[in-house]
Amino acid sequence: MKAILLDNIEHDLPVVHTDKKILYWLSTVDHKAIGKLYMLAALLFFIIGGIEALLMRTQLAVANNHFLPPDAYNQIFTMHGVTMIFFVMMPALLGLTVYLVPLMIGANEMAFPRLNAFSFWMTFFGGLLLYFSFAAGGAPNAGWFNYAPLNQNNYSNSPGINYYAMGLLLGGIGSVTTAINIIVTILKLRVKGMTLKRLPLFVWMALVNGFLIIAAMPSLNAALSMLLLDRLMEAHFFNTDAGGSALLWQHLFWMFGHPEVYILILPAFGIYSEVFQVFSQKKIFGYVFVAASTVAIGLLSFGVWVHHMFAAGLGNTVDSFFAASSMLIGVPTGVKIFNWIGTMYGGKIRLTTSMMFAVAFLIEFTIGGLSGIGFSIVPIDWQLTDSYFVVAHLHYVFVGGSLFSVFAALFYWFPKITGRQLNERSGKWFFWLFVIGFNLTFFLQHFLGLMGMPRRVYTYQDIPYYTLLNLLSSAGAYLMAAAAIVLMYNIYKTMKGEVMENKDPWNAFTLEWYADSPPGEKNFVDIPVVSSRRPFYDLKNPHNRDYD
Amino acid sequence: MLFVWGNLLKVSPDIPLQSVLQSSSQQAEEINRVTNYFFIAAGFILLVVAVLTAYVLYKFRDNKKQIPKPLSSKWEIAMIGIPTLLVAIFLYLNIKTINLVEPDHKNETPDVIITAHQWWWEASYPSSNVITANEIHLPVKKKILLKLLAADVIHDWWIPQFGNKMDMVPNQENFLWINIKKPGEYYGVCSEFCGAQHTHMRLKVVAQSEEDYQNWLLQHQQPAMNAASFGGAQLFISKTCGNCHRINGTAARGTVGPDLTHLGSRQTLLAGLLENNIQNLENWIKDPQQIKPGAYMPDFHLDDSTVKSIAVYLNSLK
Amino acid sequence: MMKLTIGSEAIFFLCLIVAYLYFWKSGNFQKEVAEHLSIKTTGVFTAILLFSSFSFWRAEKNHARENSKATKLWLIITILLGAIFLSGQGHEYYKLIQENVLISKTEFGSSFYTLTGFHGLHVLIGLIILLVVLTLTMQGYLLNKNSSVLKTVGLYWHFVDVVWIFVFTTIYILPYIL
């Protein structure tokens, strides 16, 4: 396929000409606007998902509580999981990706701008459709991974699960088309001189991530299609009362589900790589290793899915094989922690809010990663899977890993996207409130798991220490909510302020910082020569250039 | 939809502290061995990461005197080598423990067959022809093989102090070895989300010496005694309770709900939800959805005296 | 872009085929296929679909030579062949429904209709795209031999064919080999 050359840029960009703001936002194909739309949608669903979390933690604050009836709780925990993964983290990370990637590679647009807009709206409508279920008879209530045969008509007769399937199918289409768009953009639209070995690490991660999305989503789409056929046309894929298979659902779902968690963490790794470099004023330690290990993770991630099914009785041989592969994948994932520490070593560290989240990530992700490796040890998994130990693990990696990267990205790139810097003092309040709340909530849950508390329960009996630990855990949730309010206020106040003069407040290295803050409709009129991994740094330091 | 304070008379049974680290079976002991090694290794790694992070943060704070000096890439070898070595060691322990805890059951006859239902446990002891529900008695110091089945959706058997859990998957037979160290009462939970009352699908295992266990089996082999002396017995049949519940020795033959032949001998009702006494039985029969909303037992709209008679009768079934 | 899309769809079909094979034994597919499916009839329609790949290739070749008349002719042939394939599939479905093989009846029904149905859907989408290409060509667009449209559409159409080869082998041929 031929590359799309934007040499004569004046009339090649698909630009919308209107002064009606709503019309602009609905019809824009500008990758920057679409990136912002993604992030705003993620914010909306984050608030909803967060409220769902607060409702759950309130119900669980004391033993035998009656704040929420069981059916409501079951819908809420399901929706919390689905929302956070598919309609908060995916859009937030993909939104950042479509915003930043063209800027980082010196392009003025994504390869397929209209497809980009289409992807966003599909994702957004998927989320709306999912939430419509509340008004249509009940939200899905069988958990975010929706096991069979509980997901069949005869065990879950509200239409919620149909909306789950349809909402995720739409969202899935949005993700796959975005991934295709990103890959083609990175492969075909790089400015001259930017070889693949000189890509910013965020772009490397985006590239590998694109392939992961394309290869993993089909498995989910197949499972969801079969589920809809089961529920709407009485097919027999997962209906065990009629010869269907409960395990087939699990295999198909986790074939998607495991790569999905890497899909959520790779962009985070990319963000942290950028943040660590700029706020240590040093290049990344071990660029080749970080890039290569990412490719390794991408490939290996398709060979570990059964570790979600160790307790399903597949047999010792199968379990042992996947134990080995799961332990193996921990190595390239975890070693990057040392690469980032190595980046800070010998640097000039500025502890801005963004950097603080990156540093916190190092600890939180190590905890989450180690508990994950614990689960790859099958007998430990046999004890602790489906308990609160898993809930602790997944939140340490999702929140401490992925969500913290969104916060780090927010504080780092806010000046680029809006031309204004978020208030650092407020940022630090946000950081401490959130991090303390987060660790309070989830660290204690490791103990609850060790003490036999299963997950997905709407209450618990008065067992020694359960109430104490749960109450403290709930208190942490309220701290996080308070932190979120501090952040919203910071954003609000900042947006009311003036656009600043300095387009490069952090003294950064990569091409996106060469464009204006915020960039004009056309990202680049002219562009620095790219002869290393840090082209903007080279421009500013001609006597001390990189030679990568 | 949201009601704040329920009006249930929930007298919950006392449950002592549960912990995965209190190993009461041989399986749990093996698992705890590798768990402890793991926590030590993991703690060590976390410490290393934390110390290194703190060190670089302190030493390389932004001050003008520093000239950034790069790290030798030889560190990469150590960074990759040590974790790989640890992985190799734990992989060995991993596979070894798998086979110690869950050796192949070949074609041995199971001692107990547990069938999980929404939201109760059925237990059958094939060699003794005993069928009971929810409170499961097992002998100690003996290697027992459980066969695990599911009647409807996926459930999971987990007694933390006994070690590993195992799913019950419809249309599949799963097996679990248990070798309990000493007598006592052990508590567990269903550990795979199975619908509305997953929360209240609790397990209770009473582990007994061989003698006590045999006595319990003998007692449970007997049909229900003295049915005739209770008015509730007739009502139990006439009100169609027997269509779902079996009481051995009477016309009640249903297998949809738990076997009630020796209900009076159990300490709790409703899979560990309530203490077993006449008042709780009455409350349950009178309005099941109030106590365990979503349970499949319908409200028969029985009048108070009928309810009381049946409750008294059931309570007498020791 | 098309290669990436095809890659994704290929994995989707792989999952459907895996699901089909998963129920092979428990759903007694060997017997079901022998009883209800005709390898000969469907074989003919398979040949027709494969020929449509050949005819599209002819269209591409003529387009490279800027022979617009031949291009349009071969495009029309491709569309006709694709439509005949779909009608054959529809007829087969009709027959099966008469024999009470339904998506809701058995494992075989569920898996068979899903696998062939999604393939048929992709053929239909392909036909629509081909019609659009034909119309644009007739209106005078896309005639520049440097345009990559035909090549891209060709990738999709050939992909649909290749998927059918796998599906046909799995459903119709496998029972005779095993």
Side-chain angles (χ1 to χ4, degrees):
Chain A
M1 185 172 164
K2 296 196 188 111
I4 302 165
L5 294 165
L6 293 177
D7 282 326
N8 196 349
I9 305 165
E10 285 302 339
H11 57 263
D12 275 359
L13 284 182
V15 165
V16 172
H17 295 289
T18 171
D19 10 290
K20 297 204 185 67
K21 250 187 144 180
I22 296 216
L23 202 56
Y24 172 76
W25 284 103
L26 286 177
S27 57
T28 183
V29 298
D30 178 351
H31 76 98
K32 302 184 286 294
I34 292 173
K36 285 188 233 178
L37 281 172
Y38 265 116
M39 291 188 263
L40 286 171
L43 179 63
L44 170 68
F45 284 111
F46 181 65
I47 295 173
I48 299 176
I51 292 176
E52 287 161 347
L54 283 174
L55 286 171
M56 286 193 281
R57 282 317 318 169
T58 308
Q59 164 64 14
L60 291 175
V62 293
N64 293 319
N65 203 358
H66 302 305
F67 172 66
L68 286 178
D71 193 46
Y73 185 90
N74 294 341
Q75 290 177 40
I76 288 175
F77 86 69
T78 303
M79 290 297 272
H80 169 79
V82 179
T83 304
M84 288 304 198
I85 292 179
F86 292 100
F87 299 106
V88 176
M89 292 317 299
M90 292 282 280
L93 293 171
L94 288 181
L96 271 168
T97 305
V98 308
Y99 188 101
L100 290 170
V101 161
L103 285 163
M104 284 179 162
I105 62 175
N108 276 310
E109 244 315 331
M110 297 278 286
F112 303 108
R114 269 179 237 123
L115 188 66
N116 202 8
F118 169 78
S119 309
F120 167 72
W121 290 108
M122 283 300 264
T123 308
F124 187 60
F125 283 133
L128 289 182
L129 192 59
L130 175 71
Y131 272 88
F132 182 70
S133 61
F134 274 120
N141 58 358
W144 89 273
F145 41 86
N146 201 41
Y147 274 179
L150 189 60
N151 61 22
Q152 296 291 295
N153 270 326
N154 51 337
Y155 295 112
S156 293
N157 56 9
S158 89
I161 292 179
N162 298 340
Y163 285 99
Y164 166 91
M166 292 188 291
L168 290 188
L169 276 170
L170 285 186
I173 294 175
S175 309
V176 172
T177 45
T178 304
I180 294 176
N181 212 344
I182 291 171
I183 294 176
V184 176
T185 305
I186 295 174
L187 291 180
K188 294 286 179 182
L189 294 187
R190 280 165 289 136
V191 72
K192 188 157 176 249
M194 185 170 283
T195 61
L196 285 178
K197 281 176 108 176
R198 292 184 184 150
L199 284 178
L201 281 170
F202 180 78
V203 181
W204 253 116
M205 304 288 171
L207 181 62
V208 176
N209 210 24
F211 282 103
L212 271 177
I213 294 175
I214 290 177
M217 300 298 313
S219 189
L220 179 67
N221 293 338
L224 292 174
S225 308
M226 291 187 230
L227 178 65
L228 278 175
L229 286 170
D230 269 8
R231 289 180 65 93
L232 298 175
M233 295 187 70
E234 290 180 48
H236 296 325
F237 288 104
F238 309 120
N239 186 348
T240 47
D241 294 335
S245 167
L247 284 185
L248 180 63
W249 169 269
Q250 291 191 28
H251 282 297
L252 285 172
F253 186 87
W254 290 117
M255 266 303 278
F256 151 78
H258 195 80
E260 167 70 6
V261 316
Y262 289 100
I263 290 170
L264 292 177
I265 203 67
L266 287 190
F269 288 167
I271 293 169
Y272 292 123
S273 299
E274 303 299 327
V275 168
F276 275 117
Q277 290 182 78
V278 169
F279 292 109
S280 311
Q281 285 292 294
K282 209 170 139 266
K283 35 179 187 171
I284 190 92
F285 175 64
Y287 175 96
V288 175
F289 179 80
V290 177
S293 66
T294 306
V295 176
I297 291 173
L299 291 168
L300 278 172
S301 71
F302 286 96
V304 301
W305 82 92
V306 174
H307 69 225
H308 299 272
M309 298 162 66
F310 280 148
L314 293 175
N316 290 353
T317 319
V318 171
D319 286 352
S320 300
F321 173 79
F322 283 94
S325 63
S326 305
M327 296 190 85
L328 193 61
I329 202 173
V331 176
T333 319
V335 176
K336 289 207 257 282
I337 300 273
F338 294 109
N339 280 90
W340 289 309
I341 295 179
T343 306
M344 289 196 284
Y345 182 93
K348 286 190 194 189
I349 301 174
R350 289 173 288 162
L351 272 180
T352 58
T353 308
S354 180
M355 183 63 160
M356 285 166 80
F357 273 108
V359 172
F361 151 79
L362 289 176
I363 309 292
E364 316 286 25
F365 193 73
T366 301
I367 297 176
L370 287 171
S371 57
I373 304 237
F375 280 111
S376 73
I377 298 175
V378 177
I380 298 183
D381 182 279
W382 280 342
Q383 267 284 33
L384 295 174
T385 193
D386 248 287
S387 74
Y388 260 81
F389 200 89
V390 160
V391 178
H393 159 69
L394 69 91
H395 284 94
Y396 265 89
V397 286
F398 278 152
V399 178
S402 295
L403 187 61
F404 278 22
S405 82
V406 174
F407 295 150
L410 190 66
F411 279 85
Y412 176 48
W413 278 298
F414 206 81
K416 174 55 53 187
I417 299 176
T418 65
R420 304 163 175 87
Q421 257 176 301
L422 285 170
N423 181 291
E424 277 294 310
R425 197 155 162 265
S426 171
K428 290 183 167 108
W429 270 97
F430 167 61
F431 173 83
W432 286 112
L433 277 172
F434 198 89
V435 170
I436 292 175
F438 167 71
N439 282 293
L440 185 61
T441 300
F442 294 109
F443 196 74
L444 297 178
Q445 291 183 359
H446 288 109
F447 298 113
L448 280 171
L450 285 168
M451 283 160 50
M453 182 169 176
R455 66 189 288 200
R456 302 170 151 193
V457 289
Y458 67 87
T459 190
Y460 48 90
Q461 283 163 312
D462 201 359
I463 302 173
Y465 299 117
Y466 269 40
T467 301
L468 176 66
L469 290 175
N470 271 293
L471 190 59
L472 287 172
S473 189
S474 299
Y478 279 95
L479 268 180
M480 285 193 270
I485 294 175
V486 169
L487 177 66
M488 311 284 179
Y489 184 69
N490 192 349
I491 296 176
Y492 167 74
K493 259 330 257 303
T494 307
M495 288 310 289
K496 294 195 101 181
E498 296 282 308
V499 174
M500 47 183 210
E501 294 284 322
N502 184 4
K503 72 173 184 189
D504 175 28
W506 307 120
N507 199 14
F509 305 149
T510 38
L511 278 180
E512 80 272 22
W513 291 99
Y514 182 74
D516 287 333
S517 295
E521 224 166 52
K522 189 171 30 172
N523 295 343
F524 298 104
V525 178
D526 55 9
I527 202 158
V529 171
V530 176
S531 56
S532 81
R533 290 174 184 148
R534 300 194 292 170
F536 190 39
Y537 171 84
D538 289 345
L539 188 73
K540 291 185 284 187
N541 301 280
H543 302 295
N544 203 13
R545 307 176 26 209
D546 284 352
Y547 287 95
D548 289 317
Chain B
M1 205 175 79
L2 293 176
F3 47 81
V4 180
W5 297 116
N7 55 357
L8 294 90
L9 184 65
K10 265 200 168 89
V11 181
S12 297
D14 270 333
I15 299 184
L17 180 63
Q18 300 293 296
S19 169
V20 150
L21 302 170
Q22 289 166 267
S23 57
S24 302
S25 76
Q26 282 192 352
Q27 287 71 20
E29 217 174 275
E30 288 300 331
I31 298 177
N32 282 357
R33 185 165 307 139
V34 72
T35 307
N36 287 332
Y37 291 151
F38 172 74
F39 277 137
I40 294 171
F44 170 71
I45 294 178
L46 181 60
L47 193 65
V48 166
V49 170
V51 165
L52 284 177
T53 305
Y55 170 72
V56 293
L57 278 179
Y58 174 70
K59 187 129 195 264
F60 299 103
R61 285 283 296 239
D62 186 15
N63 61 59
K64 307 292 190 270
K65 290 173 243 160
Q66 285 286 353
I67 305 166
K69 41 185 198 255
L71 210 53
S72 151
S73 57
K74 290 208 188 77
W75 280 100
E76 296 248 28
I77 304 173
M79 278 163 26
I80 303 174
I82 298 177
T84 309
L85 184 64
L86 282 170
V87 163
I89 297 174
F90 275 98
L91 185 58
Y92 165 72
L93 287 173
N94 194 348
I95 299 185
K96 180 162 155 258
T97 314
I98 291 176
N99 289 304
L100 269 173
V101 169
E102 278 299 308
D104 192 12
H105 59 89
K106 295 193 189 354
N107 280 314
E108 298 200 27
T109 333
D111 299 286
V112 191
I113 301 176
I114 313 271
T115 307
H117 298 250
Q118 281 178 316
W119 296 278
W120 57 280
W121 309 90
E122 175 189 331
S124 106
Y125 298 73
S127 53
S128 322
N129 260 324
V130 168
I131 299 178
T132 182
N134 292 330
E135 194 178 283
I136 296 166
H137 288 238
L138 294 173
V140 297
K141 294 200 178 50
K142 212 170 123 190
K143 200 170 175 194
I144 311 168
L145 183 63
L146 295 183
K147 181 156 98 167
L148 303 174
L149 305 171
D152 36 40
V153 299
I154 303 181
H155 298 269
D156 187 289
W157 161 288
W158 187 36
I159 310 244
Q161 293 188 34
F162 287 174
N164 47 325
K165 54 168 58 80
M166 178 59 74
D167 279 355
M168 282 102 147
V169 182
N171 298 340
Q172 189 174 311
E173 289 182 353
N174 280 345
F175 293 88
L176 191 68
W177 288 107
I178 308 186
N179 193 331
I180 309 173
K181 293 199 283 194
K182 47 185 224 281
E185 285 176 7
Y186 301 95
Y187 298 88
V189 285
C190 171
S191 291
E192 186 61 67
F193 184 70
C194 52
Q197 285 296 330
H198 163 68
T199 305
H200 291 305
M201 189 168 161
R202 309 192 72 96
L203 266 170
K204 187 183 181 126
V205 167
V206 178
Q208 300 174 300
S209 67
E210 185 66 32
E211 199 191 317
D212 289 340
Y213 174 66
Q214 291 299 336
N215 286 339
W216 178 84
L217 278 176
L218 262 165
Q219 184 206 5
H220 271 67
Q221 279 172 335
Q222 312 303 322
M225 53 210 190
N226 289 341
S229 54
F230 285 90
Q234 325 283 34
L235 288 166
F236 191 82
I237 308 290
S238 65
K239 295 295 175 190
T240 72
C241 310
N243 286 354
C244 288
H245 294 281
R246 172 180 178 262
I247 297 185
N248 192 11
T250 72
R253 298 262 171 80
T255 51
V256 175
D259 184 296
L260 300 177
T261 312
H262 297 277
L263 181 64
S265 71
R266 297 180 208 156
Q267 289 167 26
T268 58
L269 298 173
L270 305 172
L273 180 56
L274 297 176
E275 285 203 4
N276 187 356
N277 54 46
I278 294 182
Q279 183 61 61
N280 281 340
L281 269 169
E282 276 186 54
N283 291 338
W284 164 250
I285 300 171
K286 189 131 182 76
D287 193 350
Q289 295 307 309
Q290 183 71 294
I291 308 240
K292 200 168 174 179
Y296 292 129
M297 174 147 147
D299 182 353
F300 287 90
H301 302 292
L302 303 170
D303 62 71
D304 285 351
S305 74
T306 310
V307 168
K308 185 149 192 105
S309 299
I310 296 180
V312 165
Y313 166 56
L314 289 175
N315 190 257
S316 78
L317 293 173
K318 300 262 183 259
Chain C
M1 186 259 316
M2 185 49 77
K3 290 183 197 149
L4 292 169
T5 314
I6 287 174
S8 199
E9 293 295 285
I11 297 182
F12 177 73
F13 277 106
L14 183 66
C15 292
L16 292 182
I17 291 180
V18 164
Y20 179 88
L21 292 172
Y22 195 90
F23 291 115
W24 181 272
K25 220 164 140 222
S26 64
N28 220 339
F29 283 10
Q30 195 122 7
K31 177 169 146 285
E32 299 271 3
V33 172
E35 249 178 58
H36 297 289
L37 297 183
S38 158
I39 196 176
K40 288 199 191 83
T41 321
T42 316
V44 168
F45 286 107
T46 303
I48 289 175
L49 189 69
L50 291 177
F51 197 77
S52 77
S53 251
F54 170 77
S55 63
F56 190 87
W57 174 67
R58 291 309 311 160
E60 281 181 77
K61 275 278 171 292
N62 280 295
H63 177 257
R65 288 194 220 121
E66 298 208 325
N67 185 345
S68 77
K69 208 154 174 252
T71 307
K72 290 176 205 159
L73 181 66
W74 283 110
L75 271 178
I76 294 175
I77 294 178
T78 308
I79 294 173
L80 280 173
L81 291 175
I84 295 176
F85 173 83
L86 273 187
S87 74
Q89 178 117 83
H91 180 79
E92 182 181 38
Y93 278 14
Y94 178 72
K95 230 176 84 233
L96 286 170
I97 294 176
Q98 302 285 17
E99 290 172 25
N100 216 16
V101 177
L102 303 170
I103 198 172
S104 54
K105 262 290 155 107
T106 55
E107 291 310 327
F108 176 72
S110 298
S111 316
F112 172 82
Y113 283 112
T114 304
L115 183 52
T116 55
F118 269 108
H119 176 262
L121 180 66
H122 281 72
V123 172
L124 182 64
I125 293 174
L127 285 180
I128 294 173
I129 296 176
L130 285 171
L131 276 168
V132 170
V133 168
L134 179 66
T135 313
L136 286 174
T137 312
M138 283 182 151
Q139 289 178 339
Y141 300 105
L142 304 179
L143 291 175
N144 181 345
K145 68 172 176 192
N146 287 323
S147 157
S148 59
V149 172
L150 234 57
K151 207 171 110 213
T152 308
V153 173
L155 276 174
Y156 178 80
W157 189 252
H158 297 312
F159 165 70
V160 166
D161 257 6
V162 169
V163 169
W164 180 250
I165 294 175
F166 279 97
V167 172
F168 182 71
T169 309
T170 307
I171 299 182
Y172 294 84
I173 299 189
L174 217 52
Y176 290 99
I177 303 182
L178 290 180

